[in-house]
Amino acid sequence: MKKFPDNFLWGAATSAYQIEGAWNVDGRGPSHWDTFSQTPGNTKNGETGNVACDHYHRYQEDVDIMSEIGLKAYRFSVSWSRILPDGKTVNQAGLDYYSRLVDSLLEKNIVPFITLYHWELPQTLEDMGGWPNRDVAKYFVDLADVTTRALGDKVKNWITHNEPWCTALLSHQIGLHAPGKKDWYQGLSAAHTVLLSHGMAMDTLRTNVPDGEHGIAPNFEPAYPLNRTKEALDGARIWDGYYIRWFNDPLAGREYPADMVNYYTETGRLPNGLDFVQDGDYDLIAAPVDFIGINNYTRQRMDGMLDLDNFNTAATPNPGAEYTEMNWEVYPDGLYDLINRMHFDYQAPKIYITESGCSYSDGPDADGRVRDERRTKYYAAHADAVHRAIQNGANVAGMFMWSLLDNFEWSLGYSQRFGMVYVDYETQKRTIKDSGYWYQKTIAQNGLAE
Ligand code: GCO
């Protein structure tokens, strides 16, 4: 048996827009994801999060399921426009909802981790220009302040942002997520406001929850060169700069990576260089964190220079490897390498795996059981990577599988199922999958069967 450290937090993660539904209930205002998903052509089959898993109304049942699985921790996000419908005015009903959810979790001894921003901006703030407008950082601090004042006595673990790369570049440069813009300058300006807002909010979190632990959850997709040509090495380096270093370097006090600043400037992506950086910004961004969250699903393989404007074609396929239904290569050593990197190179004081998981559409057989063997294998291999990294000395304190429930996968609608619990969207019936039962056993023995 491969044992994990005592008190290792085995968890699962979700986000508000992907599960809550109740998009216009009890005073919630519209977010830019409501606008985006309700605009034809942006999501698969025009699907929206209007109902999703109806978790807003069924949270008690879902907490009971978490308890049955034995989760030690649950990571969820708040919907900004439920708490501050127009970005400015507090909606007490929204805060009350999260307070009830937190109480249910604590009753079952499940440690809550709250993510403040998992991609839903109040539409009023989007109308001001959204994340590319640095004023949005101040509104984000308000969200952090209001939410921690209401819940900080009960919730001690706070995450400012989920996956800044997605908020910034996937949403403003690639245009696949709300608000669907395709502009490098907007994307990199958005990245800057997000990082700034993180640093500013860290101060608020420390003041309002001084006995808590606070961090951020960037997304990580490591790139591996497949040969020693200049093109492949550059391809992997540029990918790494675009996706990992652009965010983690300033967070670690290293400012934006010089090779990438040059690359963006020379290629016209930042025609005036870093004109959005003001005096003092880097110090704010590098506010010390208590932990770094790693969100990781797959890796990139580079056999030549990549085209960042068409990055979907960048990765070289790996024939013979296992792929999930997102067409993501299963590569547990990628997670192992990332943990080592965050531990040894970036000196992360503490690490949580804030997301790891896979999409497979396995549903109930005739007997009602969901035999999702491939997900169990994925979980086991990735938990094993975490175990190996812990043996190297990395302080990994917990792991959150993405996701508790099948849910709304953003522009892909309901076509991808990431849950350890199956959701029948017609009836809202939940069924714990075989992977969920594997997880139950793993948690109970705090270890992996050899
Ligand atoms: C993420 C996302 C999730 C996605 C998951 C699968 O943080 O990337 O938090 O919202 O559903 O990653 O794509």
Side-chain angles (χ1 to χ4, degrees):
M1 165 88 60
K2 293 185 176 171
K3 277 281 184 191
F4 277 69
D6 291 345
N7 305 319
F8 188 81
L9 287 180
W10 296 101
T14 61
S15 88
Y17 189 68
Q18 294 181 273
I19 64 167
E20 284 180 359
W23 75 286
N24 56 1
V25 167
D26 295 341
R28 184 182 179 280
S31 76
H32 75 339
W33 253 99
D34 295 305
T35 310
F36 186 76
S37 67
Q38 293 172 20
T39 304
N42 286 334
T43 66
K44 186 151 186 168
N45 305 319
E47 287 161 350
T48 70
N50 290 3
V51 178
C53 307
D54 195 29
H55 174 77
Y56 185 80
H57 297 111
R58 294 167 197 263
Y59 72 89
Q60 186 57 55
E61 178 188 349
D62 292 336
V63 172
D64 291 344
I65 291 170
M66 294 179 218
S67 174
E68 184 181 345
I69 294 173
L71 295 190
K72 305 275 184 213
Y74 174 53
R75 170 178 177 237
F76 63 99
S77 71
V78 292
S79 159
W80 189 336
S81 64
R82 211 181 273 296
I83 293 178
L84 292 151
D86 59 359
K88 298 173 189 127
T89 323
V90 176
N91 175 35
Q92 190 57 41
L95 288 170
D96 291 347
Y97 162 67
Y98 291 112
S99 178
R100 291 196 298 277
L101 170 60
V102 165
D103 288 342
S104 304
L105 291 165
L106 294 176
E107 220 165 88
K108 301 284 189 187
N109 292 317
I110 299 169
V111 179
F113 277 61
I114 292 188
T115 308
L116 286 167
Y117 190 75
H118 200 127
W119 307 349
E120 299 161 68
L121 191 68
Q123 183 60 42
T124 44
L125 301 184
E126 179 57 35
D127 294 341
M128 282 172 37
W131 286 108
N133 176 353
R134 69 184 273 141
D135 288 347
V136 167
K138 293 184 213 134
Y139 290 94
F140 180 73
V141 172
D142 292 343
L143 171 70
D145 186 42
V146 167
T147 313
T148 48
R149 277 177 199 275
L151 303 174
D153 56 336
K154 299 187 280 205
V155 178
K156 300 301 173 189
N157 295 276
W158 294 83
I159 293 168
T160 53
H161 280 276
N162 180 68
E163 302 193 348
W165 177 85
C166 294
T167 303
L169 295 160
L170 186 61
S171 308
H172 296 84
Q173 173 243 320
I174 299 172
L176 271 181
H177 278 196
K181 295 190 181 153
K182 293 186 180 162
D183 182 301
W184 274 95
Y185 186 74
Q186 296 249 337
L188 293 166
S189 313
H192 191 65
T193 312
V194 169
L195 289 167
L196 198 60
S197 74
H198 155 79
M200 289 161 61
M202 281 303 293
D203 193 45
T204 310
L205 297 178
R206 295 232 179 273
T207 306
N208 292 359
V209 197
D211 56 343
E213 293 195 336
H214 314 301
I216 184 169
N219 39 338
F220 294 85
E221 225 171 85
Y224 294 80
L226 297 182
N227 57 60
R228 287 287 167 276
T229 60
K230 178 170 183 344
E231 288 72 24
L233 295 175
D234 276 352
R237 176 178 57 80
I238 298 273
W239 176 270
D240 192 72
Y242 168 69
Y243 206 92
I244 296 182
R245 287 181 290 129
W246 194 261
F247 299 92
N248 287 283
D249 281 15
L251 287 170
R254 299 177 186 179
E255 309 193 351
Y256 289 117
D259 63 324
M260 292 306 294
V261 175
N262 292 340
Y263 178 73
Y264 287 147
T265 308
E266 282 162 12
T267 56
R269 293 177 165 100
L270 280 183
N272 304 311
L274 295 171
D275 57 357
F276 44 72
V277 179
Q278 298 183 6
D279 281 354
D281 283 4
Y282 285 128
D283 287 341
L284 283 171
I285 293 172
V289 293
D290 299 308
F291 62 84
I292 288 284
I294 294 180
N295 286 10
N296 168 251
Y297 292 84
T298 187
R299 65 151 168 179
Q300 298 282 338
R301 304 165 84 242
M302 300 291 161
D303 71 356
M305 185 54 183
L306 81 161
D307 174 6
L308 271 189
D309 288 315
N310 198 5
F311 81 92
N312 272 324
T313 58
T316 309
N318 190 5
E322 167 84 18
Y323 279 78
T324 72
E325 289 177 24
M326 292 291 280
N327 203 21
W328 291 347
E329 184 190 354
V330 177
Y331 191 67
D333 275 343
L335 178 59
Y336 174 74
D337 290 346
L338 280 171
I339 301 171
N340 287 332
R341 183 174 175 192
M342 292 316 288
H343 172 66
F344 290 111
D345 179 4
Y346 283 96
Q347 298 273 305
K350 189 188 245 194
I351 294 168
Y352 287 102
I353 310 309
T354 32
E355 286 180 25
S356 168
C358 51
S359 166
Y360 292 113
S361 53
D362 309 293
D365 290 331
D367 60 0
R369 185 170 150 196
V370 183
R371 294 171 170 81
D372 61 333
E373 258 169 63
R374 292 170 297 178
R375 179 171 291 97
T376 300
K377 268 179 68 186
Y378 187 104
Y379 283 177
H382 286 76
D384 181 71
V386 171
H387 188 268
R388 283 184 279 139
I390 292 173
Q391 308 314 306
N392 292 347
N395 180 17
V396 188
M399 177 170 196
F400 296 80
M401 302 307 184
W402 184 271
S403 179
L404 177 72
L405 304 170
D406 292 338
N407 59 44
F408 177 73
E409 179 59 20
W410 307 108
S411 57
L412 298 174
Y414 295 94
S415 64
Q416 300 288 332
R417 291 181 176 273
F418 275 90
M420 64 178 74
V421 175
Y422 185 86
V423 176
D424 177 333
Y425 296 111
E426 295 294 314
T427 60
Q428 293 293 351
K429 180 174 187 290
R430 278 79 159 130
T431 305
I432 299 176
K433 302 178 188 178
D434 278 5
S435 58
Y437 288 113
W438 173 88
Y439 203 36
Q440 181 186 55
K441 194 169 143 205
T442 299
I443 297 170
Q445 63 197 20
N446 195 29
L448 299 173
E450 298 274 359

